[in-house]
Amino acid sequence: MKQEQIDALRHLPIPDQGLLIDGQWAAAASGLTLPVVSPIDGQKLCSMAAAGQADADRAVRAARRSFESGVWSRMAPAERKRIMHRIADAIEAHHAELAVLGVRDNGTEISMAWKAEPGSAAGTFRYYAECVDKINGEIAPTPHNVMGLVHREAVGVVGVIVPWNFPLMIAAWKLAPALAAGNSVVLKPAEDASLS
């Protein structure tokens, strides 16, 4: 990490942020927004959609439709694994931007953000990607005339709430295992550290 690279990224404008629901970026149903203010200097970085109950309900319904469609939940494990590695690749490809964005958003010290945020997030996605095709069932101990099989399957829609400290890393800790198991996820980041 070079100081010139950090300096080039720390003053880039950040576009206003919407809600990603059902694969589409949208404003909050209420039309309300919240300012995103840097704890470093108190400057407004951008605005973000202020999600409410209607938005959460819409996100859960979309996640449930996605889960029931099987587009992810019934996808072949090898394909889910490949996609999760692609997520890790994308995080690594944007390592510097994500680390600096995290610093701007929540004030984390840059060397800590560099290691803990994108580095850990990518590593977490790779770890769980490798678990995808290793989640096996088992044969339960039963009497000789009965066969009991244990089959592991996704539970459905998982709600993930992420705190302000290390939001990218902690989001990965929650997202990656849920996705590896075939679940759909609704993620709610902290209002004061949601950009990464």
Side-chain angles (χ1 to χ4, degrees), residues 82-127:
R82 188 184 69 74
I83 291 169
M84 290 184 67
H85 275 297
R86 284 183 42 214
I87 293 169
D89 292 343
I91 292 169
E92 288 171 348
H94 296 280
H95 192 118
E97 297 101 309
L98 289 167
V100 173
L101 182 62
V103 169
R104 293 175 74 189
D105 194 24
N106 74 358
T108 303
E109 189 270 325
I110 186 65
S111 65
M112 179 67 77
W114 187 267
K115 289 183 268 187
E117 285 283 83
S120 178
T124 299
F125 270 95
R126 289 202 190 285
Y127 176 88

Side-chain angles (χ1 to χ4, degrees), residues 170-187:
I170 295 173
W173 291 352
K174 296 175 180 224
L175 285 168
L179 292 171
N183 296 295
S184 293
V185 179
V186 175
L187 181 136

